[in-house]
Amino acid sequence: MMTFLQNLFFSREYIPHGHCYLWQSGLVWLHVLSDLIIAVSYYSIPLLLVYFIRLRTDVPFKRIFILFSIFILTCGTTHILEVWTLWYPAYWLSGGMKAITALASLYTAFELIPVLPMALALPSPNALAEVNQKLAIEVEERKQAEVAVQQLNTELEQRIQTRTADLERSNQTLEQEIAVRIEAEREMQQAKDVAEVASRAKSEFLANMSHELRTPLNAILGFTQIMARDPQMVPTQQENLSIINRSGGNLLELINDILEMAKIESGRAILNETSFDLHDLINSLIQTLNPHVEAKNLELIYERQPDVPQYVKADERKLRQVLSNLLDNAIKFTAVGHVTLRVQAASNAAEPEQKFPGYWLFVEVEDTGSGVAPSELGSLFSTFVQAETGRRSQQGSGLGLSISRRFVQLMGGDLTVNSTLGQGSTFKFSIPIQAANAVDVPLQQPDRRVVGLVANQQTYRILVVEDKLENRKLMVKLLEPLGFEVKEAENGQVAVELWENWTPNLIWMDMRMPVMDGYAATKQIKSQIKGQATVIIALTASAFEEDKSIILSAGCDDFVRKPFQEKVILDKIAKYLGVQYIYEANHQDAEPVVQAALTAENLAVMPTAWIEQLYQAASQARAKTLRSLITEIPEEHRFLADGLSQLVEGYRFDILQTLAERKS
C-alpha cells in the first residue's frame, strides 16, 4: 500500500515534466505562473457561483450550478498537477485527475440537456403578472381565514390553561409518589450496601477461620500419619490414634461443608470440569462405604446400566461429594434392609455436533430407612435444617443435603426426594455430562508408603517456611527420615536469607506469616535469576479456589492445601525434582498374582445357575451374597474360593462381574 502511494505521488519510472523544457528557467516559470493563474481563476469562479446562489435562493437549476462548480474545480486541479509534474513525475495522479475532469464535464453536459427545455418553459412577465393578481386574491382570503383561526386559538388557549392546571395538580401528586419511591430505593440501596459489607465481612471471617482451623488440624492429622507408621505402637494406641484421626477428619469435613455453603451463598462456587473414570469413582465410593454397611449388617446394592459411559467430563469433586453425601445419609439413617444406588445414562440428542457425545446422567439413592414426614420435605434442603430423624440421631450438621442440591444445580441439574415415613427415601438427581477420551484420564497410581530414597541420587535440599512450630516440625519429621536435607524458617525474611546462603532445591512456603509473608518472599526469590531454578510450592490453609490464581501469580510453581496427606507432599516433590523413592512392600503387591491366575474357566466347576447368581451379585455389589455363594464352593476347589474371596474383600466387583459374564 505504501509503495502504491509513493508511486502515485512520485514515480521513479518516469522523468519530471521539467525535463521537456530543458529546465530553462524562463520557460518553466512561464508554465508555472500560467497554470497557477488559471487554477486561481478556476477556483474563484465556484466561489462566485456559490455566493450568487446563497443571495438568490429563488434561482432554479441549482444542481447545474453545483455540477458546473465541480467541473471548474477539477479543471483548476489539473493545472495545479501540471505544476507538480514539472518536478515530480506523478503522471498517474495527473492523468487520473484529468479523467475525473472529463467525467465531470460529460456529466455536466448531459445534465444540461434536460434543463434547456425547462429553462425555455419559464413564464413570461405577462404570465407572472396574472399569477400575482391571483396571489393577491388568495392573500386576502388567507387573511380572513387567519382571523377565524385567531378566534379558534383564543378558545384553544383557554382550554389549554384549564388542562394545564389539571396537569400541574397531577404532576404534584406524581412528584410526591416519585419522592416516596426514591426514598424507598435509597433505603433499599443502603440495605444492599449493608448486606454486601456483611457478606465481605463474612467471607473474610470464614477465610480467617479456615486458616485458624485448618492450621492446627494440619498438625493433628499430619502427626497421626507419622505416628501410625511406628511399628512399636500397641493395638490400644493404634485404636486411640485411629479415633483421633477419624475425629479430626470429621471436623475437617464439617469445616469444609461450612466453607462450601459460604462460597455457594456468595456466588463464589464454580465448576471445575475434568476428565475422569466414572466407574472407578463409584467403585471407590462403594469400597469406602462397604465397611460401614457391613458393620450395620445392611446390604449395599449397586445397579449400573450398560449405557453409562466409563470416561466422562464433569466436575469430579462435586459429583463425588454429592454421591458421598447421599449414600452416607442413606446408610446413616437405615437400620435394617438395604441401600440401593442406581446409575443410568441417556444420550443428549441436542448436542450431535460434539466431538464426544453428551449424556444425561441419572442417579437414584434408595434406602429402607426411617424416611421423612411429608411436613418436613419442604425444608429438607434448607441450610442447617434436619428432619426429625436426623435430630434424634444427633448426627450431621444439616449442610450435606443443602450443599448437594446446590452442587447439582450448579452442574445443570436438580436434586429431588420422595419419602415415606417409616419405609424409606429415594433421592434422585440428573446432570449433563460429556463422554471423554480414555487417554485424557490420568492413571490412578496405587497407594504405597514411601520408606526412603533410591541410592545414588543427588542430595535434595528442602526448605520449610512456616510460622507455626508444630507445622514446621511435622514437615521435618516427614521428610528427614526419608533422606532429605531439611531446614526451617519461621517467616519470609528468614526464608530469603536461607535461600541466598543455602540454595535449596525446593521450598514449601506458607503464605500467611508475620514479618514477611509468603507472597512477598516468593516474589523476591523469583525476581532473581537464581530463584527461577528454585521450586516454590505454597502451603495454604485457604479453602477458596480464587486464592489459587493469586498464589500462582505471585510466582509459586504449585500449591497444596492444609491439612495435607503425606502422599501429596511426596508426589509433588517427585513431580518437580524427579526424586525416586523406595516403597514399602505389602501384601497387596501379591494380589495381582492371584487375580491374574484366576480365569473364567475356573468357574466351570460350578453350576450355571450359581454362576448367574455370582454375576447378579457382583453387578449389584452385594458383598454378603457373594460371600454366601463362595461358601458353596467345594473344598477341593479351594483355589477358586480363595481367589474369589480376595476379589470380594478388595471390592473388585468389576473383575468378578467380568469373570462370571465371560463364563455365562
Side-chain angles (χ1 to χ4, degrees), residues 291-358:
H292 303 288
V293 174
E294 295 174 0
K296 298 185 69 173
N297 201 27
L298 301 175
E299 189 172 16
L300 178 57
I301 304 171
Y302 173 34
E303 299 177 359
R304 186 186 72 214
Q305 296 298 320
D307 55 357
V308 177
Q310 180 173 0
Y311 303 106
V312 301
K313 185 175 183 180
D315 193 319
E316 180 182 9
R317 189 183 69 83
K318 289 182 175 59
L319 178 58
R320 179 188 294 274
Q321 186 166 346
V322 171
L323 290 171
S324 178
N325 284 342
L326 295 181
L327 289 170
D328 188 62
N329 280 348
I331 296 169
K332 187 186 304 179
F333 300 117
T334 301
V336 179
H338 63 268
V339 174
T340 303
L341 171 63
R342 301 186 184 93
V343 181
Q344 57 183 332
S347 177
N348 187 357
E351 300 178 354
E353 72 282 357
Q354 295 287 343
K355 180 180 179 181
F356 295 103

Side-chain angles (χ1 to χ4, degrees), residues 191-229:
K192 181 181 177 182
D193 294 340
V194 171
E196 290 178 352
V197 171
S199 178
R200 287 195 298 269
K202 182 174 70 173
S203 297
E204 293 175 1
F205 170 76
L206 289 172
N208 292 329
M209 288 302 297
S210 171
H211 182 270
E212 296 303 322
L213 292 173
R214 285 171 176 267
T215 298
L217 270 177
N218 183 62
I220 294 171
L221 298 177
F223 277 106
T224 56
Q225 295 177 62
I226 294 176
M227 293 174 64
R229 298 185 308 189

Side-chain angles (χ1 to χ4, degrees), residues 497-557:
E497 294 173 357
L498 273 173
W499 169 78
E500 291 176 344
N501 299 323
W502 191 51
T503 314
N505 302 104
L506 185 144
I507 301 176
W508 289 102
M509 182 75 73
D510 185 26
M511 305 312 291
R512 295 181 61 173
M513 295 178 292
V515 184
M516 179 186 289
D517 60 21
Y519 297 97
T522 299
K523 290 179 180 178
Q524 187 169 337
I525 292 172
K526 288 293 187 178
S527 65
Q528 302 183 42
I529 297 176
K530 185 176 72 170
Q532 300 297 319
T534 304
V535 178
I536 301 179
I537 302 179
L539 279 174
T540 174
S542 172
F544 296 109
E545 191 65 27
E546 54 266 34
D547 289 341
K548 175 181 177 180
S549 59
I550 299 174
I551 290 171
L552 296 179
S553 64
C556 292
D557 299 280

Side-chain angles (χ1 to χ4, degrees), residues 552-612:
L552 296 179
S553 64
C556 292
D557 299 280
D558 207 336
F559 79 107
V560 172
R561 285 195 175 94
K562 302 174 186 175
F564 53 76
Q565 294 291 322
E566 173 185 356
K567 181 179 183 300
V568 174
I569 296 296
L570 297 179
D571 286 348
K572 292 291 185 184
I573 294 175
K575 175 182 176 181
Y576 288 99
L577 300 184
V579 179
Q580 294 181 334
Y581 297 121
I582 300 173
Y583 295 93
E584 179 184 45
N586 54 57
H587 66 281
Q588 293 180 349
D589 296 335
E591 288 182 3
V593 177
V594 177
Q595 295 171 3
L598 197 62
T599 63
E601 284 69 25
N602 298 128
L603 299 178
V605 299
M606 301 302 293
T608 303
W610 184 91
I611 297 175
E612 290 178 355

Side-chain angles (χ1 to χ4, degrees), residues 600-618 626 629 640 656-657 659-664:
E601 284 69 25
N602 298 128
L603 299 178
V605 299
M606 301 302 293
T608 303
W610 184 91
I611 297 175
E612 290 178 355
Q613 293 178 15
L614 183 73
Y615 175 80
Q616 292 296 329
L626 289 168
L629 289 170
L640 175 61
L656 284 167
Q657 186 176 353
L659 291 173
E661 183 179 24
R662 290 177 180 174
K663 187 56 190 173
S664 60

Side-chain angles (χ1 to χ4, degrees), residues 17-25 27-28:
H17 201 183
H19 284 293
C20 298
Y21 304 140
L22 301 178
W23 296 111
Q24 295 181 21
S25 299
L27 185 58
V28 168

